Every structure is written in C-alpha cells, then in structure tokens.
Amino acid sequence: MGEISEEEDPVLVSIDPVSRTVWPGFVWIRLSFDVQTERPNQNWIVVVIFIPIDRYPWAETPASSSVQDRFHPRWLQPDNPASGYSESAFPAAERTTMDPWEAASIRGHRTEIVQSLRVQDVRSYMIQEGVMDPEHFEDIECERTRALKVERFLDILATRGPRAFPVFLTALEDFGYPHLADMLLRAPTDVDGCLGGVVLLEDTIAKCRENLKKRYLSEYGWIQPIPWNPAFRLHLDEVYTNLAIVEGKRRSVSADCMDKSYSFQEEWLFDDGPSCVLVEGPAGIGKTMLCHKIAYDWAQGTVHSLKKFKLVFLVEMNKISFPSMKDVIVKIIAADEAVDDEVEAIWDFVSSNPEQILVIMDGLDEVRSPHKAKMAESFSKSPLRRAFSLITTRPESNCPLLRSCDKAYILEGHTVETLSKFIKRYFREDRASADGLLQRIRSNTPLSGIALNPLNAVFLCALWEDNQGALPATLTQLYSTLIECLVRRYFERIGQPCSEAELVLADVRNVLVTLGQVAFRGLEENRMVFQEPELEDIPNLIHVGLLAQDTWARRLSQRPWRFLHKTIQEYLTAYYLAESEQGFTVEQFAKVIPNPDMYMVCIYLAGLLKDRAHYFFETWKEVREKSELANNLCLSCLHECAPHGELVEIVLPSFVDDGSFDVTTKLKNRFYNIPTNYLRPVRHVDRGGQVDRR
Ligand SMILES: Nc1ncnc2c1ncn2[C@@H]1O[C@H](COP(=O)(O)OP(=O)(O)OP(=O)(O)O)[C@@H](O)[C@H]1O
C-alpha cells in the first residue's frame, strides 16, 4: 500500500463525503489509493486517517469554529475546483449509490425534515441539477398530504446516487431551510459517537446477512416430503430434482411458443442486471421449493450468480398483509431480534443499494384480491423495483404486479428422467418399491401424466408405500385416496381400525364437509391461515393430519393452523361444494366457476360430482367466459369426471375455437371412448366480438 503523508497534495486526494464526520479535535478523511500508480483513486484501497483539525490542510479558520464553515457541501460538488472533487479524481460513474453516512444522516433527521420541508421549494433545483426527474415529482404529487409527499421525496432521494445528498443540502440552504442543511451535516443520532456510521452499518448488514442465512439453512435445508409424516425428513440436496423449465419473453404464452425446455439453472435468473423475473406454474409444480432452494443456495454460498447479493429476502405472499413493500421487508428484518434496533438502517441500505438485494416473492396468486393493486403500486414505487426480484405464481392468477416482470419462465415439473430419479431417491434402499411404482406409472397413461407434477409424485410414492395397491387415475382420486389413507391411519392410532374405504370416509363425511366449509371461506378471502376458534367444531380432523401448525409461530400463545398444502384446502373446498346441501347449488357453482382463484377447485369439483356433473357444466356454459385458459380448465374438468357423450355435448358450446385451439381433435384425443357424433365441430370464430355458433 502506498504511504500517505500529510504533504499529500490535497487536490489529488479524493474526499468522500464521509470525511465530514468529525471527532472532537480531528477530521476524519477517507482516502482511496491506487497501489500501482500511487495516485488516489476511488476504486482501490481505502484508507481512513484522522488528522488533528488544526493541521488539516484546508483549514482556513481556527479549530474552534464550526465544522460546517470548513466543510461546505458545495466543496463536494464537481463544479468547484477547490473541492478536489474533480471528475478525474472522483468519477461519478464509479460511485452509483448514496454514501451510507449520508443515508444515515437523512434517516436520523427524517422526522425534522418531514415536519418542516415543502417539496415544491426544492423541486426546480433538484431537477435542474439532474438529481431527480419531473416524473419523480409527479409521483410525489400523488401523495395526499404534505408530510407524505416529503416521505416519498426522501425515499426517492435515497436512490438517486452519490450527488443526491450534496445537491439536496444546497437546495435546503438556498431555498429557505439552512437549519435543515446544518442539521444534516451533524452526525445523526444513531451514529453519533461511533467510529463512523459506515463501519457500524457494515457490521449491521453483516449481522443481518448471517442471521438470514442461518434462518434459510435451518428452515429450508430439510424437507418433509410427506406433510403428515414429520419423522420422515430428507435433506434438500438429497431430494431436490432439477425440474424442466421453459423461457419466454412474457407470461401466459403457451409452452409450445416458448424456447426449448431446459433443466433449470439458477444462473439464468440472475446473470443479467437487476430485473424482475416471473416463474409461473400450476399447483404443486415446485415453485415454493424452487424459492427455498435459491434462498438455501445463497445461504450456502455455493452458486456463483447468487454471491453478488448482500441480502436475500424470501417473502411468503400468503403470510403477509400489505401496507407497503417496505413494511413487508422490515418485518422480515425485524423477525431477527439481534438487529431489532437497526431495522431502519438496514432498510436504508436496501433502498440505497437495490442492486445488491434479491427479493423472492413466492405465491403471488395467494395475495388477497383487495391487496393486489395496492401491492403492485407499492412495489413499483419502492426502491425494490430496482432490485433483483423473483416472483412465482400459478398461471390463472391475475395481478397488476405481473406487468413489472421483464422475463418469464414456466416451470413444467418432472421429465420422465427426473421423475425416475426422484422416485429412486425417495425409496432410497428399497429398490423393489421404486421399480414397482415406476413400472406402474409407465404402463398407465393417465397416471404418468399426473406423476410429472412433483407434488403428485410425492403423494403417489406415499400411497405406494402405504398399500402397494390401487393407484388413482385422476387428480380427484389421488386426493380422495390420500385423505382416506390419513383417516384410516387416524382410526388405527386411536385403536379403531377400519378396513373398508367407504366406511372410513362415511364416518368422517360430516367432519370433512365442515372442514371444507372453512377451507372455502379461506379461499374466498384468499387466506391459508386459520385461528383455533374457527376450527372449534372439527377437533378430530386436526389430529387426522390435514392441518398443521406453523412452526414459525411457536412463540405465539395461539398458533394458527394451515392446510398441509394449498391443494388440500382446494380439494376440501370442492368436497364441501359437492357434498353439502348449502354447497351444491347453482348459485355456489356460479360463484366458483368464473373465479380464477378457484381454478383447482373446479377440477376437483367435477371429479367429485361425477354423474351429477351436468349441473356443474350447465352452469359453466352460462357463466364462464371463453378463453384459452377456460378451454384448458374445461378439458381438465371433463377428464376428472370421465365424461359420457351428453356431458361433452352440454359444454361444447363453451369452448372458444379460433383456429389455434382445435377443440374437436383435443376432445377426440382425450376422450376416445366418446362417440364422435357428440363431437361435431363447433366453430367459434371471434371477430370483433361476433361469435359464430354453428
Ligand atoms: N424440484 C423438486 N424436487 C423434488 N421434489 C419437489 C420439487 N419441487 C416440488 N417438489 C415436491 O412437491 C411439493 C410441492 O411443491 P411446491 O409446494 O413447491 O409447489 P407449488 O408450485 O409452490 O404449489 P402451489 O402453487 O400449490 O403453492 C414439495 O413439497 C415437494 O415435496
């Protein structure tokens, strides 16, 4: 490292605004030094020196005079030659974010600024100096009150790079707020008296990072493949299978239009600059697992493209209520008691350094409907918009936030090879069981379709292990067999073994209906979590194992319950609609069918109704809009109830066929046992709203 003497030419010394931090009797200067050229340079080694104030080379005033007199913010502006802040010594391009000291100063005096500033007084100057754009002020003007406008202004300011602070100081000084400028130049209260806010902040961020990593390693390192069997745990590395994924430019493009299918690599998501990446896929396809794997890999430090992130926040969208994105992140930070007091400082770091942050938002479809628009707005206004972000959702979800996505991927689940690998890993030593199940899946076309979904694959393994007997041919059968299996185990545990499947389910039918009603209410409110009093009437079922308590809520006196998986909540909702008198009504069906949040419910409902499914399809014909998504859903519903000709005839006019979706062929391929006279071509050509129903 080069020596820095007191004789060093001060103009060549690049002075960071941090140097304004003053200890009694000393000036603290942070110097950057290029080892090779021995010329100061922002990129190289940073040296912090303390110079007695009376020997400070620029000191023109006695040591007793105020610091501000000697360290005027204007000195730090590029156009002042006396500042030593020349473009060559301190190129703006080399610093892209606000200095942490400055961020801390604004944060420490935020209340005072919010109390007295009127944003319009500094508007012109901030625009003139190129620190903010007119669009920023349009955005600020949308806030209702003066104080909220200042809050918004300060949030934006924190993201406007290294010149933002000095320019703001000058604006304050020249346009009626010199007292605020003076105040900002004093060390803010939260870093006062410490060895500089920078060092402290770095420590805080490191602490926060380590704690997040610990949390992800312990929470996501082990998985419990069978939700109702806590004793059976596998390590993520052991069980995680690389699923197929396709890349596209935007969402809702059908997989055939997208680039070829890959075996997924995390690098693709985060190799480019900050962007918002969408991963879309149906129920149980592995979106949550992918999010856990990314958080886990970041914590392990094994994946190169994740190393650039100082902090990674995994947001489970169904667990939060939204005042704002800031509140969501702050809550995650505050969950760690060790950094409880420093939450605001960490948030400031996040706001000022979004390119070092990854936000994973898992399950956008699970955000409650009234919050969707608010959340999208809050995200677009928040500094996190410039962070890396990954959003997962089911395809049927519709949320304005999806418009913010720059890239889209569709998770397709297992390939034949990965399924085989997964099943062998699941059964580990028991090769015979693995081979037996694989054999059964290969020889049964409907089953092999079901098994490519990772959640279904897990359930099939569990069923195979349990009875090595009949395997389901439809999704509905898979879930009813699973529930039967759980109920049977429950009766065995309490000493009342029961062999007949029908008897098992008949015994608990009423309880399942009551539970289904709770599940339905939950879905209507987009809610996965239930409090104990809501479940008072169904205590038995809690022990059956369809519900589990959140581990994160261990400290709460009343720990909330949730279904083992959202698909189980959806199946039970369908059970309630199919089996109860209040559920089985045209009004209920008419409410459920057009609701995108009830996509899976429709599939199970058709499967449970079977011979009574014509009520469902008659209603479908009346209420469901025509779209490709609706076409696919209708085909899945038909598949579940093994349709006969009349059923297909009822629903045929509901399909939209604009040439790209050949209904007749699709129906023929899927339901080959239906006489073709029921499948006469129905061509709907939708041009300018004219639908031809020949
Ligand atoms: N990559 C994978 N490797 C092995 N098993 C997986 C994988 N992905 C998912 N699974 C299994 O499937 C289950 C369901 O996956 P996950 O909860 O991630 O689905 P999801 O797409 O988030 O579903 P939903 O939209 O219903 O919330 C997991 O608990 C796990 O057992």
Side-chain angles (χ1 to χ4, degrees):
M1 188 195 311
E3 288 276 305
I4 298 179
S5 71
E6 284 170 26
E7 284 77 43
E8 190 76 34
D9 179 356
V11 178
L12 289 178
V13 172
S14 61
I15 298 181
D16 189 287
V18 171
S19 62
R20 288 189 306 276
T21 302
V22 174
W23 281 19
F26 289 91
V27 178
W28 174 29
I29 305 186
R30 197 170 73 171
L31 305 169
S32 308
F33 206 69
D34 183 321
V35 190
Q36 280 162 8
T37 63
E38 296 205 345
R39 286 173 62 82
N41 179 312
Q42 180 69 6
N43 270 346
W44 297 81
I45 291 171
V46 174
V47 181
V48 177
I49 59 170
F50 295 91
I51 303 178
I53 204 154
D54 54 352
R55 294 175 65 190
Y56 182 63
W58 290 352
E60 292 159 4
T61 47
S64 58
S65 71
S66 80
V67 174
Q68 291 95 305
D69 289 342
R70 264 167 281 124
F71 290 98
H72 193 283
R74 282 184 193 283
W75 292 4
L76 297 168
Q77 288 177 24
D79 59 1
N80 184 352
S83 70
Y85 188 115
S86 70
E87 202 54 15
S88 59
F90 193 2
E94 289 178 7
R95 287 187 54 226
T96 55
T97 57
M98 182 181 279
D99 186 281
W101 190 95
E102 296 166 348
S105 179
I106 293 178
R107 187 183 65 248
H109 298 298
R110 194 172 172 104
T111 317
E112 292 96 320
I113 302 171
V114 170
Q115 271 165 4
S116 38
L117 185 66
R118 287 185 337 147
V119 171
Q120 63 264 41
D121 295 337
V122 293
R123 181 182 187 277
S124 303
Y125 188 73
M126 301 305 286
I127 296 176
Q128 175 198 303
E129 291 300 303
V131 165
M132 285 165 89
D133 302 328
E135 292 77 44
H136 288 128
F137 286 94
E138 279 167 23
D139 204 15
I140 291 164
E141 279 309 313
C142 295
E143 299 293 347
R144 275 178 294 110
T145 62
R146 187 201 55 79
L148 285 174
K149 288 187 200 331
V150 183
E151 296 262 13
R152 183 88 192 101
F153 169 82
L154 292 177
D155 287 344
I156 296 174
L157 189 73
T159 67
R160 298 306 298 161
R163 289 186 59 239
F165 186 80
V167 170
F168 179 50
L169 281 184
T170 306
L172 290 176
E173 199 148 73
D174 291 356
F175 297 99
Y177 305 92
H179 63 290
L180 289 183
D182 281 357
M183 192 182 63
L184 283 173
L185 282 169
R186 287 196 295 273
T189 46
D190 59 347
V191 292
D192 213 6
C194 301
L195 181 54
V198 181
V199 179
L200 236 198
L201 184 67
E202 275 168 14
D203 278 357
T204 304
I205 299 301
K207 204 160 43 167
C208 179
R209 180 172 54 243
E210 288 321 306
N211 289 330
L212 282 172
K213 286 187 171 184
K214 254 192 244 157
R215 209 188 302 172
Y216 297 153
L217 289 174
S218 73
E219 281 181 24
Y220 306 141
W222 288 90
I223 70 158
Q224 188 183 312
I226 311 293
W228 55 89
N229 184 359
F232 179 40
R233 291 185 354 132
L234 295 170
H235 197 270
L236 184 69
D237 290 334
E238 196 185 344
V239 78
Y240 189 84
T241 316
N242 225 342
L243 303 169
I245 190 162
V246 289
E247 184 183 353
K249 301 281 175 273
R250 62 190 169 85
R251 72 182 300 250
S252 297
V253 178
S254 65
D256 342 334
C257 311
M258 297 183 130
D259 299 350
K260 67 180 186 329
S261 192
Y262 303 103
S263 165
F264 176 66
Q265 306 288 322
E266 277 147 309
E267 273 77 6
W268 305 331
L269 299 181
F270 311 117
D271 258 1
D272 305 337
S275 58
C276 182
V277 175
L278 173 71
V279 173
E280 193 177 280
I285 206 75
K287 302 178 292 296
T288 300
M289 187 95 162
L290 173 68
C291 297
H292 290 182
K293 174 87 166 93
I294 291 171
Y296 178 83
D297 284 349
W298 171 70
Q300 282 235 308
T302 44
V303 173
H304 177 73
S305 61
L306 296 175
K307 285 186 184 162
K308 61 175 166 265
F309 300 123
K310 278 236 166 90
L311 300 173
V312 171
F313 298 105
L314 199 161
V315 185
E316 293 173 55
M317 302 301 264
N318 63 23
K319 282 194 186 154
I320 47 179
S321 51
F322 278 98
S324 72
M325 277 314 283
K326 176 181 171 185
D327 294 315
V328 170
I329 300 299
V330 160
K331 224 170 177 176
I332 296 179
I333 300 169
D336 172 11
E337 284 164 13
V339 291
D340 232 2
D341 300 338
E342 290 139 318
V343 172
E344 276 294 327
I346 299 171
W347 169 254
D348 280 344
F349 174 82
V350 170
S351 313
S352 324
N353 303 278
E355 71 292 338
Q356 297 179 35
I357 308 296
L358 170 63
V359 185
I360 305 173
M361 294 181 255
D362 180 32
L364 190 65
D365 50 288
E366 292 172 18
V367 175
R368 295 196 196 176
S369 300
H371 293 146
K372 283 183 179 162
K374 209 163 150 199
M375 194 205 65
E377 192 191 337
S378 160
F379 180 76
S380 68
K381 285 183 177 174
S382 121
L384 296 175
R385 180 66 191 97
R386 284 177 299 282
F388 284 78
S389 49
L390 171 72
I391 298 175
T392 75
T393 182
R394 289 186 183 180
E396 56 273 16
S397 162
N398 201 359
C399 174
L401 183 57
L402 294 170
R403 285 185 223 124
S404 310
C405 296
D406 312 304
K407 281 198 243 176
Y409 293 89
I410 292 183
L411 205 49
E412 294 205 308
H414 284 300
T415 59
V416 174
E417 291 74 36
T418 63
L419 176 65
S420 158
K421 212 190 266 178
F422 173 78
I423 291 179
K424 285 175 186 155
R425 280 182 191 167
Y426 180 97
F427 287 102
R428 290 194 271 196
E429 311 297 297
D430 187 359
R431 251 334 254 276
S433 291
D435 290 343
L437 177 59
L438 278 169
Q439 178 61 31
R440 282 290 291 279
I441 290 175
R442 278 188 208 121
S443 61
N444 180 328
T445 314
L447 196 58
S448 48
I450 291 176
L452 292 180
N453 177 301
L455 179 64
N456 297 344
V458 172
F459 287 165
L460 286 171
C461 290
L463 287 179
W464 188 248
E465 205 174 22
D466 209 53
N467 55 14
Q468 304 239 339
L471 286 177
T474 64
L475 263 188
T476 316
Q477 281 171 21
L478 175 64
Y479 278 80
S480 59
T481 321
L482 269 178
I483 289 179
E484 181 218 310
C485 174
L486 282 175
V487 174
R488 192 202 309 271
R489 284 173 182 215
Y490 166 70
F491 282 121
E492 276 165 12
R493 268 206 313 276
I494 61 169
Q496 297 172 15
C498 181
S499 53
E500 294 292 320
E502 293 74 31
L503 282 183
V504 172
L505 288 182
D507 260 11
V508 290
R509 187 186 163 279
N510 289 341
V511 193
L512 286 179
V513 165
T514 320
L515 189 59
Q517 193 170 12
V518 174
F520 182 36
R521 197 179 328 125
L523 284 185
E524 280 188 310
E525 295 164 13
N526 228 332
R527 190 157 61 88
M528 314 297 137
V529 173
F530 301 90
Q531 300 302 330
E532 200 111 27
E534 292 181 85
L535 304 165
E536 257 167 10
D537 298 338
I538 32 180
N540 279 353
L541 261 289
I542 291 177
H543 303 297
V544 169
L546 289 168
L547 291 151
Q549 267 172 315
D550 276 323
T551 44
W552 56 266
R554 267 190 205 111
R555 277 181 288 161
L556 304 179
S557 57
Q558 279 217 337
R559 284 166 60 196
W561 292 84
R562 58 175 58 239
F563 289 93
L564 293 179
H565 197 269
K566 189 179 174 191
T567 49
I568 293 188
Q569 184 174 352
E570 289 163 327
Y571 175 84
L572 287 166
T573 297
Y575 193 88
Y576 161 73
L577 293 168
E579 297 297 327
S580 84
E581 271 175 29
Q582 309 100 289
F584 189 78
T585 63
V586 171
E587 290 73 33
Q588 291 282 36
F589 290 173
K591 205 156 73 173
V592 165
I593 291 169
N595 183 347
D597 294 334
M598 299 282 176
Y599 190 94
M600 292 305 296
V601 174
C602 288
I603 295 178
Y604 301 128
L605 182 55
L608 287 165
L609 290 170
K610 273 199 201 136
D611 295 342
R612 298 174 294 158
H614 57 276
Y615 293 111
F616 174 79
F617 287 112
E618 291 284 3
T619 319
W620 178 289
K621 202 172 61 182
E622 298 305 319
V623 300
R624 181 80 203 208
E625 98 294 2
K626 296 179 176 65
S627 67
E628 192 172 329
L629 192 72
N631 281 356
N632 284 324
L633 176 57
C634 196
L635 284 176
S636 302
C637 291
L638 283 170
H639 176 84
E640 290 297 307
C641 60
H644 42 78
E646 285 88 2
L647 217 46
V648 173
E649 200 176 30
I650 294 175
V651 85
L652 212 48
S654 315
F655 282 95
V656 58
D657 186 348
D658 60 1
S660 65
F661 193 95
D662 181 355
V663 178
T664 318
T665 315
K666 282 201 162 91
L667 286 168
K668 265 187 206 156
N669 290 345
R670 261 174 108 154
F671 310 115
Y672 47 84
N673 53 347
I674 291 176
T676 44
N677 60 320
Y678 288 112
L679 298 176
R680 66 181 182 280
V682 176
R683 191 138 187 90
H684 297 181
V685 183
D686 193 347
R687 291 208 179 87
Q690 295 299 308
V691 178
D692 167 18
R693 290 163 193 262
R694 267 177 291 152

